Every structure is written in C-alpha cells, then in structure tokens.
Amino acid sequence: MKQDDLLSKFPRAQLMSGPTPLERLDRLSEKLNIELWLKRDDLTGLGFGGNKTRQLEFYFGDALAQDADTVLITGAVQSNYVRSAAAAAARLGMKSVLQLEERVPDMGPEYYQSGNVLLAKILGAEHISFPVGEDEAGADLALHKRADELRAQGRNPYVIHLGLHHPPLGALGYVAAGQELHQQMQDFDAVVVPTGSGATHGGLLTGLKISGSSAKVMGICVRRNSQLQHERMVTVVENLANLLGIDPSALVRDIETRDEALAPGYGRLGPKSRSALELMAQTEGIFLDPVYTAKTFAGLLDLVQRNEIRRGQKVVMIHTGGLPALFGYQKELE
C-alpha cells in the first residue's frame, strides 16, 4: 500500500487549515553551532492551536461517522488536549465533557482558574473531575460512567480514551505530520519531540519512516522516566502499526527516549526547563509552554551539550504549542 493511502481509510474531520510553518531559528543556530529549525505546530489555528488539533481530526472524524453529538475526554487540569477538544466540538456543533485529573500537586489557584481552564469554560464545555493522576483505566471508566448518564438522557456520546488498550486514532494525526515535515525538508539529521502519551512521538516516527526519512527521532520525556516511556512507546508504535497494517519491527528499533530534562516531574517547571523557556523567548521571541515544549528544548540543549547532537547538524524541534498553560503557571514563572 502506498503511504498516501495508509490514512485514507480513516474518517477525518477537517480542523487544520493547512501545513504548519517550518522556521529556521537563526540566532539560536549561531549560539548552539547547529542548524536549528522549529516545526510550528503551535500554529495549527483552532482554539489557540497546538499539536492536539492534528490528533483530534481523526477522533472527531470517527465520532462524526458514528453520529455522536457529545465528546468526552480526560486530561490534566491544564491539559491542552481537553481545551482543544472543546474547541473542536464547538466548531463541529457538538457538546464536550472535559474530565480534569489531579496530576500536579500543590499548585496555586491560578492553575485551576486560568489558562486552559478559563478557555474551556468560554467554549461552553462541561467540567467533571477525577481525583487521581496516574490511573488511565480508572479515568476512562469514569468517562464511560458519564457517557452512560448522557446516553440515558437521549444523547449519543463518544469517548476519547486515554489508555493504551484502545486504537491510537490520534497518532494518525502525527503520521500525517511526519509526511508533511518530510515534504517540507528531507535532509535533516534529527527531530526532537516531546513524549508523554506517546501519540505525537509514535505518529511522527511512523510518518517519517514510511516517508523514507533516515533522521533520528528523539523523544524527550515529559511524564515518565526513559525506561518506562520506552516501554510505553513500544506498545504505542505496535498498536499504531497494527492499525495501519504495517510491520512495526523497524519502527520499534528506532524508538529513542531521553529523560535528562524531566525533573522535577510532570507539569513541574524545573531549573533546566525554566532556563530553556527563557532562552527561547529572549533569543527568538518565541514562547514555550512549561509542561511539554520547555522540557523538549531543555532536552535538546542537553543533547547538544553531550555531543549527541553534533556541531553543524540540522535539527528540527516540534513546537507542540500549549501556550495557554503559561497563565496557569504564573506563580512558578514569577
């Protein structure tokens, strides 16, 4: 099967306005002695943009194919995913139910009121809460409980699952992104991407490799240590390959994860991430978010320092967006 045909069998809602820009960061390239490019998936457009728009095209495509009128999704309090889902639902004339998990302890009141939380309220989303942050199966079950209640009220709900035991439809969005990036530029040495749920990382790796790219795909851990994330990525990539009907073995061999920038943990802004966030802003005038992209850039800087990214190499960093979360981290940033 041709690579262009791999995605055609999956229903897809049109949420992207077109390819996102690929920009060379001239001042940082000079400073780091590499050629650094930024894939601007913070500019996907819908509802403050971000990488989740790509993933939601396939989930909402499936939801519309099932005549769903309500979408339910789970994520952290400042989740870009749930905010993007609320925006997509609004565009498509659907209701959204956002389940917010307690993943980040000891945060100030602005974390629960500002940023993505505020935007989702403006979008008209229903909010429910889940008190645990590391129970994907429990979070999915809680969504299904609310879905059953909605079904009893005559609605037709659709659940976007978090757990690994469901088809990774969202990862298809980054298979398309990998193909898009390969069309924009083919001679780069490495691409650096955040790795959390694994959909963005796994989809990008798959999209690039089936396009014929030989570039390394380096996943910077934002939620789990490198060993645990690598184990998760094997499952994600195998599930995605099975969904596409391709052999996963070569993809699994190319999985790389790094956790040097993870501390002090998911959703926490450590010294490395804060320094990386400020360096990007003060050198290129581009903002990073504290949960994903600040850690990603910090991980990239560490790779340069360790000479795993060598002088003169051409490197692409995926900017996954998430900028509304900055306002939920005012206390940490100040």
Side-chain angles (χ1 to χ4, degrees), residues 104-118:
V104 187
D106 304 320
M107 298 299 286
E110 65 279 354
Y111 181 78
Y112 296 92
Q113 299 168 4
S114 186
N116 286 310
V117 177
L118 175 61

Side-chain angles (χ1 to χ4, degrees), residues 195-244:
T195 183
S197 72
T200 297
H201 180 187
L204 184 72
L205 172 64
T206 302
L208 285 170
K209 296 308 175 184
I210 65 177
S211 297
S213 174
S214 61
K216 285 188 174 184
V217 179
M218 298 176 169
I220 305 301
C221 298
V222 300
R223 189 168 179 184
R224 303 166 190 86
N225 67 37
S226 183
Q227 179 181 343
L228 291 175
Q229 188 63 23
H230 192 278
E231 293 171 1
R232 182 183 183 91
M233 288 307 307
V234 170
T235 301
V236 169
V237 167
E238 289 178 342
N239 288 347
L240 178 57
N242 289 335
L243 188 63
L244 290 169

Side-chain angles (χ1 to χ4, degrees), residues 127-236:
H127 282 91
I128 59 177
S129 61
F130 187 72
V132 185
E134 293 295 338
D135 182 4
E136 292 184 345
D140 284 342
L141 283 173
L143 284 184
H144 278 281
K145 180 180 179 181
R146 180 62 183 133
D148 289 341
E149 295 170 352
L150 292 168
R151 202 171 283 112
Q153 297 170 15
R155 303 198 70 86
N156 185 19
Y158 179 91
V159 174
I160 298 176
H161 297 98
L162 187 63
L164 291 174
H165 301 298
H166 302 275
L169 289 178
L172 298 174
Y174 264 83
V175 175
Q179 295 171 329
E180 178 183 302
L181 176 58
H182 186 71
Q183 290 173 352
Q184 290 175 313
M185 186 167 68
Q186 299 181 10
D187 61 341
F188 56 92
D189 300 290
V191 57
V192 179
V193 60
T195 183
S197 72
T200 297
H201 180 187
L204 184 72
L205 172 64
T206 302
L208 285 170
K209 296 308 175 184
I210 65 177
S211 297
S213 174
S214 61
K216 285 188 174 184
V217 179
M218 298 176 169
I220 305 301
C221 298
V222 300
R223 189 168 179 184
R224 303 166 190 86
N225 67 37
S226 183
Q227 179 181 343
L228 291 175
Q229 188 63 23
H230 192 278
E231 293 171 1
R232 182 183 183 91
M233 288 307 307
V234 170
T235 301
V236 169

Side-chain angles (χ1 to χ4, degrees), residues 107 110-111 114 274 290 325-334:
M107 298 299 286
E110 65 279 354
Y111 181 78
S114 186
R274 183 190 180 102
L326 279 167
F327 300 100
Y329 282 76
Q330 182 175 345
K331 183 177 72 172
E332 283 73 15
L333 290 166
E334 288 179 342

